[in-house]
Amino acid sequence: DAGVIQSPRHEVTEMGQEVTLRCKPISGHNSLFWYRQTMMRGLELLIYFNNNVPIDDSGMPEDRFSAKMPNASFSTLKIQPSEPRDSAVYFCASSWEGADQPQHFGDGTRLSIL
Amino acid sequence: QKEVEQNSGPLSVPEGAIASLNCTYSDRGSQSFFWYRQYSGKSPELIMSIYSNGDKEDGRFTAQLNKASQYVSLLIRDSQPSDSATYLCAVRDSSYKLIFGSGTRLLVRP
C-alpha cells in the first residue's frame, strides 16, 4: 500500500522566493495534517484538514503561509515570500477521522532557505 | 497550554537490556496515546498505540498507560542497536489534536 507521498524531498531556495510543498494522503484517509519539525521547537502542527476543509490553522505561523486541499488526494503548503527562519523539515500526515486513529507520516520535505 | 513531557535523553542501554521510556501529559481529557520512532533524517513511524489503562504488548514492545497518573511508558525488551532512535510520545487531547513530546533519544550500545 502506498503511504503518504510528499514532494519535493529536498528544496533549497533563496529568501523571498515562493515555495510550494505537496502531499498526497493515503487513499481513503479523510484527515490531513501539515507539521513542521525543527531542533528548537520539535514537531509543530501547522494546519489540519478534515474532508478537504481546513478545520484549524492556528498553527500557521504567519500570513506568508497558506495551505489548500482542493480534493481528497492532494494538498499544498505554500510559503510566500520565504525567509531563512522557515528552514525546517515539513511533514504531511494523514489518518482516518476518529480519536483512536493514528496519523501516518510522509517522508517529509527538507526545506532550506538561503 | 496542553503539554506532553519527555526526558530528552540520551538514554543509553546495553544491547539485550530493557529500555524504559516515559511520558507525562497534562490534559486529563486525553483519549488516545501513541509511540512513534524516528530515525535520524527520517519521518516518525508509528510503533504502538494504547487507549485504556494497563499494558499492551506487541513483540518486544510494551506500552503502559496510567490515566490517573497521566503517565504513559514504552518498554523495549532485548534492546538492539537498531532500536537506537528518538522515540516520540503523542497524545490525542480532548479535541482532535495530536500533541507530541519533544522525544527521548535512545542509544543501544553493542
Side-chain angles (χ1 to χ4, degrees):
Chain A
D1 289 342
V4 177
I5 299 172
Q6 291 187 246
S7 65
R9 292 293 310 277
H10 303 273
E11 175 88 13
V12 180
T13 192
E14 294 185 348
M15 68 176 292
Q17 297 298 306
E18 178 178 294
V19 173
T20 300
L21 311 181
R22 298 173 175 80
C23 175
K24 177 179 170 55
I26 292 172
S27 178
H29 281 185
N30 61 351
S31 296
L32 184 139
F33 307 83
W34 282 101
Y35 289 90
R36 178 171 67 178
Q37 188 175 40
T38 61
M39 289 292 292
M40 289 292 293
R41 300 174 67 91
L43 261 176
E44 301 176 278
L45 177 65
L46 299 178
I47 188 168
Y48 157 54
F49 290 89
N50 184 249
N51 293 320
N52 313 337
V53 177
I55 303 300
D56 185 347
D57 65 355
S58 60
M60 298 285 262
E62 298 174 32
D63 290 345
R64 298 184 297 106
F65 286 69
S66 63
K68 294 182 179 180
M69 191 164 186
N71 57 62
S73 57
F74 184 67
S75 177
T76 59
L77 177 68
K78 188 173 293 187
I79 309 172
Q80 168 63 21
S82 58
E83 297 183 3
R85 60 195 168 117
D86 301 331
S87 299
V89 181
Y90 290 80
F91 289 107
C92 176
S94 71
S95 74
W96 289 105
E97 185 178 7
D100 61 341
Q101 297 301 311
Q103 294 175 19
H104 300 271
F105 284 76
D107 289 338
T109 295
R110 185 171 297 274
L111 178 64
S112 296
I113 308 297
L114 306 178
Chain B
Q1 179 78 8
K2 298 171 183 175
E3 295 182 343
V4 176
E5 300 285 345
Q6 294 183 257
N7 189 316
S8 62
L11 173 66
S12 181
V13 301
E15 183 174 355
I18 296 175
S20 178
L21 305 163
N22 305 314
C23 173
T24 59
Y25 59 94
S26 62
D27 183 5
R28 284 196 171 273
S30 298
Q31 305 175 55
S32 309
F33 307 85
F34 306 93
W35 282 99
Y36 286 81
R37 178 176 63 199
Q38 188 173 24
Y39 292 113
S40 180
K42 301 295 186 182
S43 62
E45 173 193 11
L46 179 72
I47 53 172
M48 288 286 288
S49 59
I50 188 166
Y51 310 108
S52 54
N53 282 328
D55 295 0
K56 179 181 178 182
E57 186 174 318
D58 183 0
R60 296 187 296 113
F61 299 99
T62 298
Q64 299 175 316
L65 176 61
N66 184 326
K67 289 186 178 180
S69 300
Q70 295 174 241
Y71 177 91
V72 58
S73 65
L74 179 71
L75 301 178
I76 306 175
R77 290 181 299 282
D78 188 24
S79 296
Q80 302 297 309
S82 59
D83 295 326
S84 298
T86 297
Y87 289 80
L88 300 168
C89 174
V91 176
R92 176 157 288 129
D93 67 11
S94 45
S95 67
Y96 63 88
K97 285 185 177 179
L98 201 57
I99 312 297
F100 283 86
S102 58
T104 298
R105 192 157 69 93
L106 174 66
L107 182 62
V108 181
R109 310 187 304 271

